[in-house]
Amino acid sequence: MPFEIDRRAFIASLGGAAVVSRMNDEARADALEDYSIRKLDDAVAAAQRGQIAGPPERFPTAAELEARIDGSSNRRGVGNLFLGSGGRGVTRLEPMPKRPTLLDYFNLRFKTAGAYNHVLQSATHAMKTGMTEEVVFACLLHDVVQSLIKVDHGWWGAQMFEPYLPEKSTFAIRYHQALRFYADEANGYEYPDLYRRTFGVDYKPEPYIEETYQIVRKHKWYIEPRMVTVHDLYAFDPNAVVSMDPFVDIIGRHFKQPKEGLGFDNSPVAHMWRSIAFPDHPL
Ligand SMILES: [Fe+2]
Ligand SMILES: [Fe+2]
């Protein structure tokens, strides 16, 4: 008999509906995974007591996921800032200060829509395990562009940060996306169930991803994006308490904050920041 997820108990285990509504899809999917694992453990324990455990999760196929596109209200790759959460639609956002800093974007935009908890957990883990500041910083920023757009988020994210970050950090952000599809057990990375669930159990990365992987695998900076993928895996704990405090100095040392504010410095990517600052502008 398969075990079933009790929706109410699951939501309660995360701290209630309000907390769940603030999580992005990826975090929610992984929280569910975490919950399922605990339930599975309980089921196995029950089996050891003489009851019967259910089978492991059945992942969808790529074709099944594709079939869900028809009739869906939005594309899968749309940015979280542009989507309602918890079926309740979008709400008005707090205005940004005149000359916004990176921390302003974290507090006023990424917190609700940019995988805030996930990236902080990831960076905290990277810091605790002695990663370089470039890698810690890359972990802190690796998914925040998902507030703007999710498809090809590695490339979008790296581009958005390129004028302001050390090159190694943008390299790590750009290529973590492709490397996530390829296991590297020697460096502590195995293919995640999250991707079986998100892309389909039989999914094969497209040729541009495969080509990128082959190039990055041989690059002298391979370990930088690889470490972002390694610390990605530790970063979906719904109960983790995170703080920006340990990273303020790293931001101060490595982020070239434009004095005009992010979005207003006439850089080639200023419009990307403005789109996050003002997602309700109609055109
Ligand atoms: Fe990512
Ligand atoms: Fe991530």
Side-chain angles (χ1 to χ4, degrees), residues 86-142:
R88 287 198 310 273
V90 295
T91 53
R92 272 176 285 184
L93 291 161
E94 272 191 66
M96 299 288 290
K98 248 187 164 163
R99 295 183 183 83
T101 64
L102 179 61
L103 282 176
D104 290 326
Y105 276 93
F106 262 98
N107 290 328
L108 298 170
R109 294 296 181 267
F110 303 151
K111 214 167 223 170
T112 48
Y116 182 86
N117 241 275
H118 167 61
V119 295
L120 274 161
Q121 279 184 52
S122 173
T124 301
H125 197 275
M127 190 179 247
K128 278 189 188 150
T129 49
M131 295 291 111
T132 62
E133 291 200 342
E134 285 100 334
V135 167
V136 171
F137 207 4
C139 289
L140 185 70
L141 303 176
H142 77 282

Side-chain angles (χ1 to χ4, degrees), residues 21-22 79-85 89-97 104-114 146-148 272-282:
S21 73
R22 285 197 298 274
N80 293 321
L81 198 51
F82 299 84
L83 289 170
S85 60
V90 295
T91 53
R92 272 176 285 184
L93 291 161
E94 272 191 66
M96 299 288 290
D104 290 326
Y105 276 93
F106 262 98
N107 290 328
L108 298 170
R109 294 296 181 267
F110 303 151
K111 214 167 223 170
T112 48
Q146 291 186 28
S147 59
L148 179 65
M272 295 170 78
W273 291 94
R274 289 196 303 270
S275 301
I276 295 170
F278 311 122
D280 290 304
H281 284 185

Side-chain angles (χ1 to χ4, degrees), residues 26 115 118-119 122 142-143 146 153 176 180 228 232 235-236:
E26 197 175 88
H118 167 61
V119 295
S122 173
H142 77 282
D143 279 342
Q146 291 186 28
H153 74 285
H176 88 275
R180 280 204 74 178
V228 174
D232 224 358
F236 293 105

Side-chain angles (χ1 to χ4, degrees), residues 9 55 75 87 125 174 178 205 215 218 232 254 264 266:
R75 300 279 173 202
H125 197 275
R174 177 167 287 117
I215 291 165
K218 295 182 203 97
D232 224 358
H254 295 289
F264 307 100
N266 272 318

Side-chain angles (χ1 to χ4, degrees), residues 134-135 137-139 142 153-155 157-159 161-162 165-179 212-229:
E134 285 100 334
V135 167
F137 207 4
C139 289
H142 77 282
H153 74 285
W155 276 271
Q159 185 182 4
F161 286 114
E162 209 125 52
L165 273 200
E167 214 182 327
K168 262 189 191 169
S169 299
T170 47
F171 186 89
I173 294 168
R174 177 167 287 117
Y175 296 121
H176 88 275
Q177 179 200 332
L179 261 48
T212 300
Y213 167 67
Q214 294 301 342
I215 291 165
V216 176
R217 188 80 189 85
K218 295 182 203 97
H219 196 282
K220 62 180 177 186
W221 288 352
Y222 165 71
I223 205 70
E224 270 76 16
R226 175 49 77 201
M227 284 301 116
V228 174
T229 70

